[in-house]
Amino acid sequence: MSPSTRKTKEHPVPQHIAVIMDGNGRWAKKRGLPRLAGHQAGTENLRRIIRACVELGVRYLTIYAFSTENWGRPREEVDGLLKILESVIERELNELHKEGVQLRHIGRLERLPENLRRKVTDAIELTRNNDRLTVIVAFNYGGKDEIVHAVEQIIRVGTKPEDITEDLISQHLFTVGIPDPELVIRTSGEMRLSNFLVWQAAYSELYITPVLWPDFGREELIKAVNAYQLRNRRFGLLEEEPPKD
Ligand code: IPE
Ligand code: IPE
Ligand code: MG
């Protein structure tokens, strides 16, 4: 635990942090590099953030790596992003496994090339009993698509309308079993969710920083966690009276 991290009883570290890793393209452009160099730098940063999450005691880290909308980017960039995912698994899997990281995927694997799909499912299988930190990779993920998928499943098994509850819907999302994120971070300053965790982030605290993802290191993460710890989460209720002593 870093001494600069406030961790009091009332303001614990979030157990689930979700990150919209945005700004790789702008990071590369500023340096006169191709966009893929920005994605590569973003991937290297991920290692720092995973380490920092382990250090802070975060239990779940969800990372938005590729949205259902990102298929619309130029072919070269899409292919590059698929390759990056593949090489990250190849390079980092053993180390992550050793560190006790469990990997999960949210989104649809169907559209990914067969060999990449297999690498993802093998990585999930290998790490399934790890429990230090769960890293949830949102790849070919869309929040609306996730809800469509859940509704399909709910209807397919003949669920009665009166049995449909918020809990039941949550159980059919890709994130089944994972608590909702307390904190959603977006780098690079855009003030939107871009189809990320539209159900699960209903009551998340949002932290948006102009820092571009490849530059968002450990200290920036700690700043975000500290900002979260000062938030007043009311969930639609009234302010709590400070306890009288
Ligand atoms: C985020 O960086 C990563 C992905 C969407 C895959 P961008 O590629 O969106 O970077 P900017 O927003 O163009 O700077
Ligand atoms: C969101 O970033 C998706 C990921 C970070 C994977 P985008 O760059 O695709 O989102 P927009 O276009 O700014 O909404
Ligand atoms: Mg972007």
Side-chain angles (χ1 to χ4, degrees), residues 78-97:
V78 170
D79 286 350
L81 286 165
L82 293 172
K83 276 228 171 65
I84 286 175
L85 175 64
E86 187 167 353
S87 64
V88 168
I89 297 174
E90 280 167 5
R91 270 201 333 262
E92 309 288 341
L93 181 60
N94 284 338
E95 191 59 32
L96 290 172
H97 183 42

Side-chain angles (χ1 to χ4, degrees), residues 96-103 126-134:
L96 290 172
H97 183 42
K98 260 196 249 150
E99 285 173 20
V101 171
Q102 181 185 146
L103 288 172
L126 176 73
T127 60
R128 60 190 294 215
N129 294 320
N130 294 345
D131 61 1
R132 195 140 182 228
L133 168 72
T134 301

